[in-house]
Each structure stands twice: as structure tokens, then as C-alpha cells.
Amino acid sequence: MFGLFSIYCVWIWIWSFLYINDYIDVNPLISSFIAFIFTAITLSLVRNFTIMLICFLVLIEFFVFYFNYKKFIKKNKRFTIKKLYLIHNLIIFFIYNIYLYLNNKTFFDVYTTKTSKETVTLEKWFKSRSNPDYLDNYIY
């Protein structure tokens, strides 16, 4: 299960689902925006991801951000810093880093040393999601 939760975006997707469906009030808008930008930049630097996989992952992040933004504007009517829950976003990110630490990984391991040893296609990416140690297959 570490492989799935080793990526912060998965945390944001779950959090977004809960927020969009009104299970929680704390929004992940800032985290989803940063994840969208970060994903778009870093995936273009990963050497062996196919263009199709990169586009797919960037589109997922865009839609997560878009739905968070849409819900945020619908609920708050305007954009204010107070309603962005900056502290909550930082706390969740801090908890994520503790989770990585407890699993002997760092943010650096997951996001900067993660280069695939062979070409990763969209199909391979979906198949590897069920493998709890999939991240270790990407570390070069």
C-alpha cells in the first residue's frame, strides 16, 4: 500500500473527493494547484514516461484542480486568503512527509530520483498501481 500513498497527489485526490462531495469543509485548492503545476513540470523531466502517460497524469491533476476551484467559488462566491486553509494544507503535507519518513523514503526519493529504468506506458502505469512496491521499480 505504500506505493499508492507515496505520491502526494493521491492524498489530494482523496481529499478533493471528500471536499467536492461535502464530506469535509477544508478545501485542498492550494495543494491541488501546486500539484498541477508541479506535475506538469516534473513529468516532462522524467526520461522514460511516454507522452500519452504524461498528458494523462497532467489532465488528471488539471481536473482535480478545476473541480476544487469550481466548488470553492460556488461555496465562497469570491477568492479570499482566509478561506484557502493554508495552514490545513501545510499540515496535511507535513503528515504526508511523516508517512514517507516512517516508510524510509523522503520527498526527494519520491520526486527527484524517480526515473524509470524502462519506458513506462499508460498501460504499464495502470498495472503497476496494484503493486505495493511499484515505487522501487522506478528508482534508478
Side-chain angles (χ1 to χ4, degrees), residues 36-54:
F36 168 62
I37 299 300
F38 187 79
T39 299
I41 292 169
T42 58
L43 284 183
S44 62
L45 302 176
V46 174
R47 291 182 291 195
N48 291 322
F49 278 22
T50 63
I51 296 295
M52 183 73 111
L53 178 58
I54 292 169

Side-chain angles (χ1 to χ4, degrees), residues 50 96 130:
T50 63
Y96 163 73
S130 60

Side-chain angles (χ1 to χ4, degrees), residues 119-137:
T119 302
V120 180
T121 63
L122 192 57
E123 181 181 352
K124 279 186 187 177
W125 184 80
F126 273 115
K127 287 180 181 177
S128 70
R129 292 292 127 184
S130 60
N131 180 0
D133 297 321
Y134 90 94
L135 183 63
D136 295 330
N137 296 329

Side-chain angles (χ1 to χ4, degrees), residues 59-101:
L59 277 174
I60 286 176
E61 292 303 326
F62 171 76
F63 283 118
V64 169
F65 170 68
Y66 173 75
F67 289 124
N68 280 317
Y69 177 77
K70 190 175 171 183
K71 171 73 176 196
F72 179 82
I73 294 300
K74 181 180 177 183
K75 186 175 182 179
N76 297 305
K77 306 294 184 216
R78 65 176 194 243
F79 204 83
T80 63
I81 299 294
K82 183 180 178 185
K83 295 181 181 178
L84 286 178
Y85 294 100
L86 293 173
I87 298 299
H88 294 82
N89 280 264
L90 288 171
I91 290 170
I92 296 295
F93 185 70
F94 182 70
I95 292 169
Y96 163 73
N97 278 287
I98 290 171
Y99 173 77
L100 290 179
Y101 177 77

Side-chain angles (χ1 to χ4, degrees), residues 19-31:
Y19 172 69
I20 290 167
N21 291 301
D22 292 323
Y23 292 110
I24 59 174
D25 291 327
V26 177
N27 69 64
L29 185 64
I30 293 295
S31 289

